[in-house]
Structure formats: C-alpha cells, structure tokens
Amino acid sequence: MREFTEQELVRREKLDFLREKGIDPFGKKYDVNTTTKNLKEEFENSTTEELDELKKEVSIAGRIMTKRGKGKAGFINLQDKYGQIQIYVKLDNIGEEAYSVFDKSDLGDIVGIKGTVMRTHMGELSIRALEFTHLVKALRPLPDKFHGLVDIEERFRRRYVDLIVNEDARRVAFARAKIIRSIQHYLDNLGYTEVETPVLGTILGGAAARPFITHHNTLDIDMYLRIATELSLKRLIVGGMDAVYEIGRLFRNEGMDKNHNPEFTTIEVYKAYSDLEGMMELTEGIICNACMEINNSYDIEFRGQKISLKPGFKKISMCDAIKKETGVDFKNIKSFEEAKKVAEEHNIEIENHFGYGHIVNAFFEKYVEEKLIEPTFVYEYPIEITPLAKKELDDERFTQRFELFIAGGEYANAYTELNDPIDQYERFENQLKEKELGNEEANEMDIDFIEALEYGMPPTGGMGMGIDRLVMLLTNSETIREVILFPTMKLK
C-alpha cells in the first residue's frame, strides 16, 4: 500500500469529522439552477444597489479553488465547467454547524452553495452563501500553482488534474466539441447524412499507413483497426445514399510527434455527382465556418504566425509549386530515369518501391510543404501515391487529387473518386507489387469494393480532414496532445 503525504493524511482525518456530523464525505444529488457563465451574463452590468434590492437566490455547485479569511467569515472561489465565481461565507448567514464544515474544507473539495447574488466592496460579482453543503472530499491536494504541472508529460497523463487547474485546457476541450458540432451542422444543412462504419476489418485499405493488428477469437482471424473510413463510405454512395460523412477514430501504427497520435479523429465526406472543385468549395466552407464560430473572425494566430482563413484559398498544382521553389519542371520530365537523376542531384533518397510519382512527391515534401503558410490547395498528385483517385485527362501520370496546406501542415485530402472498377483493380494490383518491394503502407486488394464499383458508383467527390489538427489550428495549440483529452503516452 502506498504511503500518504502529510497533507493526504490530514484530509483523510477529515473524513471522520464529516462522518461524525452525519455527512457523507462523497455526497449525494444536489439541485443546481445556475452556472458561473449564466450569473456573469445575467448580472454583469448590475450595480451593488440593484443586486441588494433584487435579492436573487441561486443554487450552484463546484470545486473550491481558493480559500481565504479567518474567524467568522471567509471567501472561496468556486469553479464549475465554465469558470469561477467568488462565494462570501459568513457564520451568521449559514449557521455554526455549516460554518464548522466550511472551516474544515480544503482546496479541491466539491461543495454546493445556495445564496443571493451580490457585489463586494471591491465591486466583484459574488454569491452571499445562505447554505453551505459539503458534497465530495478531495483526498489529494491540487498542485499549488499549475501554470501546468511541473512535468509537462503529467498534464496529459493526469488530464483530470489538468482540466481542474488549467483554464486553457478547458478552453480547448470545449472548443473541440464546438468545432465538431459546427461541422455537423454545416454538413447537415447541406443535406449530408452522418453515418457509422466498422472499426474492425479484414482488409487494409483507404489510405497509405501501417495498421494495428488484432485477433478475433471466435472467427480465429486477424483483423485490422481501420486506417481510413473511405472504402466503406464509398460503398454507401454505390448504395444510393448520395451524400454521407463520418466523424470517427482512425488508428495508425506509426510514429508520435507534435502532429501525430496513434489514434486520432477525422471526418470523411463523399458527395455523388461532385468532383475535386466541389470538394475544394466544401472544405473551405467547413473550415471558414468553424473558424468564425470559434473565434468570431477569419484571422488567427498559430505557432507564432498570423494567418487568414478568409474564403478564397490559394490553388496551385504540385508540379508548379515544385518548379516555383526549385526550378525543376516535372511536367517536362517524362521518364523515371530522368526523374531519378534529378533526385540524386538534389540528394533525395530513392527507395526500392519508388516510381516517377514518388520522386515528385519527395521533392514536394522536401522543398515546398513547410513553406505553404496561407491556406493553399495543392492539386494534381502523382498516380503512384494516389490509388483511389481519377486520372487527369490530359496527363495520366497525375490524378484529380488535392491536399490543403496551412502553416506548413496538411489539413485535408480530397479526390475526384475513381469509379472505374477495371482501373481500380489495376491500381490495387500495383499496390500489391509495392508491398512486395517493401512498402508497408501499400493498400491490399479489396475484391468486395471492386464488386461494389461494378454495380456502378456515380461520379463522386470525396474529402478527408483531420479533426485534431483543425482543433489545433483554431485554438492555437502547439501539439496534438493538447487537443486530445487522453493522448497515447509512453509508459513510465
């Protein structure tokens, strides 16, 4: 059994004090009729005299964050989900029994307060307690001064403490929910249907990524945690649902850094009779709408850079972007050998599975990606790295695909979807060849998806967007661990 600190021992001794008074240290239901947010909104402009005359009675509950005063009166700051409000506690107002409980209370305890709204002599909006009810005894003390826990890693391991004492952590947590709701409302109003598709599958597909593998005991088969929702959602387009989206968890067995967590949240959207241009318009609309709802402005700051998310994002082809930064024009480089020679001249490593398109993409990642600060749609991706998009009509080395870059990072990925089952079969075969050459992220053959396409999928636009990264952008959060409530952490 672990040893208790001196503070923890004192708090445990107070359990007996509460029980002797017939009080359950861990409480029961308490009727709440207001919040700190409601109080501040309703009485922000009320004067001391108006509040004294009104004698507005309220009932609120929350956690004690500060406590001061001695003798027969004191103050606490009570915190609920929205923030804090000051409580004035006086022996004459709540009675001797309740005041003795107040006197023994600690920071972190959860209490209920019934009283009247007032202003102090200093003009601070407060509640004059008429009843003080102990609800829950906190057996561990809160950190003295958070500004963060001393160890940043502990903020994410003990997120519950982080949320109690870190106002910014709460701001981001509530903003995330609001961003997701804004996306749902935006798409619902456009006639899209939100759906759910399987998390477990037997075929790896829909993205280039390494999977988590698990085992189903009853069927005695290995299964993958999904790396994308794409192929399931496109089956629904075949089935006639026409406009669908899913917001859900994906799982990729890859590295962890400030932009990557092994499990993360995305939205994927598919619209029959649309295309890449339609997805650009939709993507821009989703982001601009969410930004305005969260920040009431299109202007944001992210990682020290001022960025405008005003509608009208820039557009540039991948080859033109590379040419702009390096002078190399891949549109005029026709063979793999020529592309390989240029790559070697620029010290780009050629892996075994590389084709012409992989080299183009390597150039883009090395010379262009991090320089795209203002929102920019980069389109015309090489076919080798895009097995699920339609080819460009005028140059079949490239596809009708875009990625959206902001502040040097990728935020969305979209296609004019490939709906030719013959072409799709050939692309899957090429992916199998890449897997044999060592590409662990290559897709597998999905015969059922080919069969679905053979029934006919309408011309379709599709888009995927990282929710976590969008939340980071709109809340100016430095790492993905700031915006995921319980991020994956290394073992201690």
Side-chain angles (χ1 to χ4, degrees):
M1 186 174 179
R2 72 178 180 89
E3 291 186 9
F4 298 123
T5 66
E6 184 178 343
Q7 283 196 56
E8 289 174 325
L9 288 171
V10 170
R11 286 173 180 246
R12 278 166 169 74
E13 288 171 4
K14 292 179 180 179
L15 294 178
D16 293 333
F17 165 79
L18 291 167
R19 288 180 177 127
E20 286 170 6
K21 289 188 171 293
I23 298 171
D24 180 353
F26 302 104
K28 58 185 178 182
K29 177 184 174 182
Y30 188 81
D31 291 326
V32 173
N33 65 15
T34 192
T35 65
T36 57
K37 179 183 177 183
N38 290 341
L39 288 171
K40 290 171 184 177
E41 288 177 351
E42 187 174 354
F43 302 110
E44 181 180 12
N45 299 317
S46 299
T47 66
T48 301
E49 293 75 17
E50 288 171 338
L51 292 175
D52 287 345
E53 184 179 344
L54 182 63
K55 292 183 172 56
K56 173 71 173 182
E57 292 195 6
V58 296
S59 176
I60 194 168
R63 194 180 294 271
I64 300 175
M65 300 304 292
T66 65
K67 182 181 178 184
R68 63 193 186 279
K70 290 183 178 180
K72 299 182 179 181
F75 290 90
I76 60 173
N77 268 31
L78 188 78
Q79 178 173 287
D80 65 8
K81 67 182 286 187
Y82 296 108
Q84 297 186 15
I85 193 164
Q86 182 172 259
I87 312 294
Y88 173 54
V89 185
K90 188 176 180 182
L91 186 151
D92 291 346
N93 293 335
I94 65 171
E96 192 170 326
E97 278 292 301
Y99 197 84
S100 67
V101 175
F102 162 74
D103 197 43
K104 290 278 190 179
S105 65
D106 291 306
L107 302 190
D109 287 359
I110 299 172
V111 300
I113 300 293
K114 291 182 181 177
T116 56
V117 184
M118 60 172 281
R119 284 195 187 278
T120 63
H121 295 306
M122 301 296 292
E124 183 175 351
L125 187 68
S126 306
I127 298 173
R128 179 186 292 106
L130 300 178
E131 293 182 20
F132 181 95
T133 303
H134 170 87
L135 294 176
V136 176
K137 186 68 196 169
L139 298 181
R140 286 177 181 256
L142 297 174
D144 290 335
K145 286 187 181 176
F146 199 65
H147 308 318
L149 288 160
V150 175
D151 183 353
I152 274 292
E153 294 284 310
E154 285 302 301
R155 284 191 53 209
F156 308 120
R157 293 184 197 282
R158 294 194 285 159
R159 179 66 88 181
Y160 41 88
V161 181
D162 188 27
L163 290 169
I164 292 171
V165 296
N166 185 347
E167 185 178 345
D168 198 55
R170 293 195 302 279
R171 175 186 67 86
V172 172
F174 289 122
R176 180 188 179 100
K178 190 173 179 181
I179 289 167
I180 291 173
R181 292 294 175 271
S182 80
I183 294 171
Q184 291 171 314
H185 294 157
Y186 186 82
L187 291 171
D188 291 347
N189 289 335
L190 291 176
Y192 285 78
T193 301
E194 185 173 11
V195 298
E196 295 174 298
T197 61
V199 171
L200 288 172
T202 56
I203 295 173
L204 185 65
R210 295 178 63 183
F212 285 95
I213 302 173
T214 186
H215 188 80
H216 191 290
N217 292 331
T218 301
L219 296 177
D220 193 23
I221 56 172
D222 284 343
M223 302 188 80
Y224 300 116
L225 294 179
R226 67 185 181 191
I227 60 172
T229 53
E230 178 168 348
L231 299 185
S232 293
L233 292 173
K234 288 201 282 195
R235 285 173 169 90
L236 300 181
I237 298 297
V238 172
M241 293 190 72
D242 279 7
V244 296
Y245 72 94
E246 180 170 10
I247 297 174
R249 287 287 208 199
L250 301 183
F251 307 85
R252 297 185 182 179
N253 197 355
E254 298 170 344
M256 294 165 54
D257 58 31
K258 66 181 182 181
N259 292 320
H260 295 89
N261 192 67
E263 60 172 308
F264 57 100
T265 303
T266 68
I267 178 171
E268 289 200 36
V269 182
Y270 292 89
K271 179 72 166 67
Y273 313 109
S274 187
D275 63 3
L276 206 64
E277 287 292 329
M279 291 300 105
M280 283 185 181
E281 182 179 342
L282 184 72
T283 304
E284 186 175 288
I286 287 172
I287 292 174
C288 294
N289 180 68
C291 182
M292 186 58 72
E293 286 203 15
I294 294 299
N295 298 310
N296 201 31
S297 170
Y298 292 125
D299 298 322
I300 64 169
E301 185 171 325
F302 182 61
R303 292 177 177 168
Q305 300 179 98
K306 295 187 183 300
I307 299 168
S308 173
L309 297 181
K310 185 178 180 180
F313 294 176
K314 297 176 183 177
K315 301 175 184 178
I316 190 170
S317 72
M318 179 178 280
C319 287
D320 285 346
I322 293 170
K323 182 179 178 181
K324 180 180 176 183
E325 294 297 333
T326 68
V328 177
D329 187 356
F330 276 99
K331 280 294 182 80
N332 290 326
I333 295 176
K334 301 298 183 182
S335 68
F336 170 72
E337 289 72 22
E338 188 180 354
K340 183 178 179 182
K341 181 181 178 182
V342 173
E344 289 170 348
E345 291 171 354
H346 286 77
N347 298 315
I348 288 178
E349 184 180 348
I350 308 297
E351 298 182 33
N352 288 337
H353 66 275
F354 268 26
Y356 165 87
H358 296 98
I359 294 174
V360 175
N361 187 57
F363 260 81
F364 175 78
E365 289 180 347
K366 181 175 181 178
Y367 291 107
V368 180
E369 195 168 305
E370 65 181 18
K371 296 179 180 178
L372 299 174
I373 305 304
E374 292 297 323
T376 305
F377 290 113
V378 177
Y379 60 92
E380 285 187 349
Y381 273 60
I383 194 168
E384 290 93 334
I385 62 169
T386 313
L388 298 167
K390 276 197 172 185
K391 298 173 184 175
E392 286 287 358
L393 297 177
D394 58 352
D395 190 339
E396 292 194 348
R397 296 177 299 169
F398 298 93
T399 61
Q400 296 177 42
R401 173 188 179 184
F402 76 69
E403 287 188 314
L404 173 65
F405 289 87
I406 307 172
E410 178 231 324
Y411 283 82
N413 181 27
Y415 305 157
T416 300
E417 301 296 337
L418 178 60
N419 62 346
D420 178 344
I422 299 170
D423 189 358
Q424 183 64 81
Y425 185 86
E426 293 172 354
R427 305 266 196 106
F428 279 149
E429 284 192 321
N430 290 333
Q431 289 285 295
L432 292 177
K433 292 174 184 176
E434 284 193 23
K435 189 177 282 287
E436 290 175 1
L437 291 171
N439 184 0
E440 296 180 345
E441 296 184 350
N443 283 206
E444 296 181 348
M445 177 67 74
D446 190 336
I447 291 297
D448 182 77
F449 180 64
I450 299 296
E451 181 178 317
L453 292 183
E454 288 175 343
Y455 282 95
M457 184 174 85
T460 297
M463 183 274 292
M465 182 186 302
I467 295 293
D468 308 299
R469 292 187 187 179
L470 181 61
V471 176
M472 287 169 62
L473 180 73
L474 297 183
T475 60
N476 193 18
S477 297
E478 184 64 27
T479 74
I480 195 169
R481 294 189 299 177
E482 299 277 359
V483 303
I484 295 176
L485 285 174
F486 299 100
T488 304
M489 304 293 293
K490 294 178 183 177
L491 294 176
K492 287 186 177 182

